[in-house]
Amino acid sequence: MKNVPYLLIFSFLIYSHVSSCQETKKVKRIKTTPAFSKEIFYVLKEDKEIKHGEYVRYGYTRKVAERGSYDLNQKVGIWEFYDRDGALEQRYNYDSNVLVFNPHKLSNKVRTQINGKYEAIIPDELPIFIGGVSKLAYLRMVRDYPLEARRAGIEGEIYISAVITTDGKLIDEKIEQTLGYGLDEEALKSIRNIPDDFIPAKHDEQDANVMILFPVFFRLD
């Protein structure tokens, strides 16, 4: 039994060596909707679905929006996220799952679950989206503007409520204010595009479910 720790260490070193020696290929990916975005990253030559190595994404201002590294499709080490002006907005350590830097907080309306009901109480610590508020805003941008709404000249805001759970998931998306003309469905799609990458809220020194209100904006070009 005394040799078990050494075997584990030896196995880990072998895995680390094999992982680091994987042959990779550089990929550039450009998106133009809902806004310009360019990604530069590496994938395994033998499996192009697996990211491995450095990753950089540029936002619609052509400045770096996020950077970090992948190890066989897993985010590792320190990742940095930037706002539209290129200023550092958030730093997160995926090795230790620790938020290192985050000066900005969500400004959305939040209700905290108290004894099974959502009350108009702000939690002691608001939930945090791993990636920063700028990335969250980008993810919830509408991808498609329905033709019916364009022809009718419909603009405005739709409000959607959702729950951020104690395990960092976004669930129970519901429309609270509608516009019709197919816009409600597109708004729901945009909110459901947000990944479950939240650090949960805390209230009374415990993780807490919170209901949050997201605005989704529709503006004609």
Side-chain angles (χ1 to χ4, degrees), residues 185-198:
E185 291 77 12
E186 291 302 324
L188 272 175
K189 285 181 186 178
S190 72
I191 297 303
R192 288 170 178 163
N193 188 55
I194 299 171
D196 297 326
D197 290 340
F198 287 89

Side-chain angles (χ1 to χ4, degrees), residues 8 23 33-34 36 38-39 63 84 93 115 133-134 219-220:
L8 289 173
E23 287 193 67
T33 58
F36 173 87
K38 182 173 75 172
E39 296 173 289
K63 295 182 179 180
R84 58 185 294 178
N93 189 332
N115 297 324
V133 294
S134 295
R219 296 288 183 270
L220 291 168

Side-chain angles (χ1 to χ4, degrees), residues 192-212:
R192 288 170 178 163
N193 188 55
I194 299 171
D196 297 326
D197 290 340
F198 287 89
I199 297 172
K202 285 188 177 294
H203 195 66
D204 291 337
E205 299 183 353
Q206 293 184 342
D207 291 342
N209 292 331
V210 294
M211 182 178 290
I212 187 167

